[in-house]
Amino acid sequence: MFLAEVRASAEPEDESTRRILDAALEAYQEFGLRRTTMDDVARAAGIGRATLYRRFPQKGDLVTAVGLREVRRFIAAVDVEISKAPNAEERMVEGFVAVVRGLRENQLLNRLLSSEPEAVLPGLTLHGGPVIALARGYLKEKIEEDQRAGLIADFDAEPLAETLARLIHSIVLTPDGRIPTRDERQMRAFARTYLVAWLRI
Amino acid sequence: MFLAEVRASAEPEDESTRRILDAALEAYQEFGLRRTTMDDVARAAGIGRATLYRRFPQKGDLVTAVGLREVRRFIAAVDVEISKAPNAEERMVEGFVAVVRGLRENQLLNRLLSSEPEAVLPGLTLHGGPVIALARGYLKEKIEEDQRAGLIADFDAEPLAETLARLIHSIVLTPDGRIPTRDERQMRAFARTYLVAWLRI
């Protein structure tokens, strides 16, 4: 799943696809991926099995579509928080807080990590290259916007974007530690001291 | 497994324990944890089952002892590399290179990640707090040594230590990315630009 793919995707136009995705998300959050059948989703969405299979031939296609929509919504929410910040330093701080909070509060991610770790951990770790690439691509765009505006120095944004992505990657996989992820005031203080330092490379 | 515990542990004094640990490490690297029985280890070490069980009552005790020794040896090897560096900046660079290379080349870790991910991933992610704490404790000690020597500013070393630990955590779990972990010259260039910036906090 790459950033261009996420950006190119859009909220589904037709009402029945929207209902399918909503029903699937709700079922995945409540029962997990493994225990949710295509029939469960069709029933909850109030549509016929034929319609569901025409739109999503396999369970994996539906899971991917739900995941893609979650990522797109997540990015849109982070964009809003970053756009409110007045300068490059605060964009770093608010972006970090929005990403960590958004992932910590994401119901689908938390449900799957706690009840089906064997299903999601390999894709988030050993085969997690695309996840890192997605986050890196997004963060690189944000850093380069401030570079083009002359607000921060013109270093290569990609390694910094990846380092930030990896810090967040580790925090999501292993929240237990000394980076305060539950207290936003403390999270901002951490970001202001330790992450903003990077913008002065 | 905490840093004090690792430091307090020592190479086993008696020859039979050493043989047990050597045989167990070799078997784990070759066959994995799951497929290695206590009998396999006793046989390979050339000692009686009774002696093995007296020293390590359960398989888990033996696994822990082997892991503890691996961590202690790993830290000793990194200490050597760091001690050769001439200043705080180079200690950051050489420490990063030694840690990433050491983990990438660790046979036991790689064997378990590739053949028994379901056995090791949860302990390295969802329940990975002690692993992060161990790395944080070690890195904090190193940073504080340079602070006491007046070589870098007197900021709180713990958040920086944890951030570094988490960067490495993510790289070990998901090597695929744009941080060059197979080319030491490129790894040094990355560390010199992006990690050394932290010492100027």
Side-chain angles (χ1 to χ4, degrees):
Chain A
M1 201 185 285
F2 288 92
L3 187 58
E5 195 190 334
V6 174
R7 284 267 161 75
S9 69
E11 284 293 320
E13 296 283 316
D14 63 300
E15 175 60 19
S16 74
T17 303
R18 242 196 314 265
R19 267 162 53 201
I20 292 170
L21 294 180
D22 289 345
L25 175 61
E26 209 169 306
Y28 295 159
Q29 285 171 348
E30 191 159 355
F31 307 110
L33 296 179
R34 207 175 28 210
R35 288 170 55 206
T36 300
T37 66
M38 291 292 266
D39 281 354
D40 292 337
V41 174
R43 207 174 313 117
I47 59 145
R49 289 182 75 230
T51 310
L52 176 59
Y53 279 98
R54 206 176 315 119
R55 186 70 188 80
F56 301 102
Q58 311 214 2
K59 189 173 168 175
D61 301 321
L62 181 54
V63 172
T64 300
V66 170
L68 200 61
R69 191 174 69 160
E70 284 291 284
V71 172
R72 195 174 54 237
R73 288 175 170 181
F74 178 75
I75 286 179
V78 173
D79 275 343
V80 168
E81 294 304 314
I82 291 179
S83 72
K84 288 190 222 160
N87 54 47
E89 288 72 21
E90 289 303 301
R91 275 188 283 282
M92 172 70 96
V93 172
E94 296 306 322
F96 177 72
V97 171
V99 168
V100 172
R101 181 183 54 212
L103 291 170
R104 194 191 66 219
E105 292 178 352
N106 188 277
Q107 276 189 63
L108 181 60
L109 180 64
N110 286 310
R111 163 78 206 201
L112 298 181
L113 279 176
S114 67
S115 73
E116 295 178 50
E118 69 292 346
V120 290
L121 279 180
L124 293 177
T125 56
L126 305 176
H127 314 295
V131 174
I132 298 286
L134 177 70
R136 177 180 65 230
Y138 176 74
L139 294 166
K140 179 167 179 273
E141 268 187 18
K142 296 293 156 188
I143 297 165
E144 288 179 343
E145 277 171 28
D146 280 341
Q147 289 181 318
R148 273 195 302 275
L151 298 172
I152 51 176
D154 204 27
F155 54 82
D156 180 0
E158 190 164 71
L160 174 54
E162 174 141 340
T163 306
L164 277 167
R166 289 186 173 281
L167 169 63
I168 292 159
H169 182 226
S170 169
I171 291 174
V172 170
L173 292 170
T174 312
D176 181 12
R178 296 291 167 82
I179 293 175
T181 59
R182 304 201 154 267
D183 178 324
E184 299 209 353
R185 197 184 49 78
Q186 287 181 32
M187 224 193 311
R188 286 194 172 84
F190 164 78
R192 218 161 262 137
T193 304
Y194 295 90
L195 303 188
V196 166
W198 268 326
L199 300 179
R200 296 189 293 264
I201 281 166
Chain B
M1 201 185 285
F2 287 93
L3 186 59
E5 195 191 332
V6 174
R7 284 267 160 76
S9 69
E11 285 293 321
E13 297 284 318
D14 62 299
E15 175 60 20
S16 73
T17 303
R18 243 197 312 267
R19 267 160 54 200
I20 293 170
L21 294 180
D22 289 345
L25 175 62
E26 208 169 307
Y28 296 160
Q29 285 171 348
E30 191 159 357
F31 307 110
L33 295 180
R34 208 174 29 210
R35 288 170 55 206
T36 300
T37 66
M38 290 293 265
D39 281 354
D40 292 337
V41 174
R43 205 173 315 116
I47 59 145
R49 290 182 75 231
T51 310
L52 176 59
Y53 279 98
R54 208 176 315 119
R55 186 69 189 81
F56 301 102
Q58 311 213 2
K59 188 173 169 176
D61 301 321
L62 181 54
V63 172
T64 300
V66 169
L68 200 61
R69 190 174 69 161
E70 284 291 284
V71 172
R72 195 174 55 237
R73 288 175 170 183
F74 178 74
I75 286 179
V78 174
D79 275 344
V80 168
E81 295 304 314
I82 291 178
S83 72
K84 288 190 221 158
N87 54 46
E89 288 72 22
E90 289 303 301
R91 274 188 284 282
M92 172 71 96
V93 172
E94 296 306 322
F96 177 72
V97 170
V99 168
V100 172
R101 181 184 52 211
L103 291 170
R104 194 192 64 219
E105 292 178 351
N106 188 277
Q107 276 190 61
L108 181 60
L109 180 65
N110 287 312
R111 163 78 207 202
L112 298 181
L113 280 176
S114 68
S115 73
E116 295 178 50
E118 69 292 345
V120 290
L121 279 181
L124 293 177
T125 56
L126 305 175
H127 314 295
V131 174
I132 298 287
L134 177 71
R136 177 180 66 230
Y138 176 74
L139 294 166
K140 179 168 179 273
E141 268 186 17
K142 296 292 156 189
I143 297 165
E144 288 179 344
E145 277 171 26
D146 280 341
Q147 289 181 318
R148 272 195 303 276
L151 299 172
I152 52 175
D154 203 28
F155 54 82
D156 181 359
E158 190 165 71
L160 174 54
E162 173 140 341
T163 306
L164 277 167
R166 289 185 173 282
L167 170 62
I168 292 159
H169 183 226
S170 169
I171 291 173
V172 170
L173 291 171
T174 312
D176 181 13
R178 296 292 167 84
I179 293 175
T181 59
R182 303 201 154 268
D183 179 323
E184 298 210 354
R185 198 185 49 79
Q186 286 181 31
M187 223 193 313
R188 286 194 172 84
F190 164 78
R192 217 161 262 138
T193 304
Y194 296 89
L195 303 188
V196 165
W198 267 327
L199 299 180
R200 296 189 291 264
I201 281 167

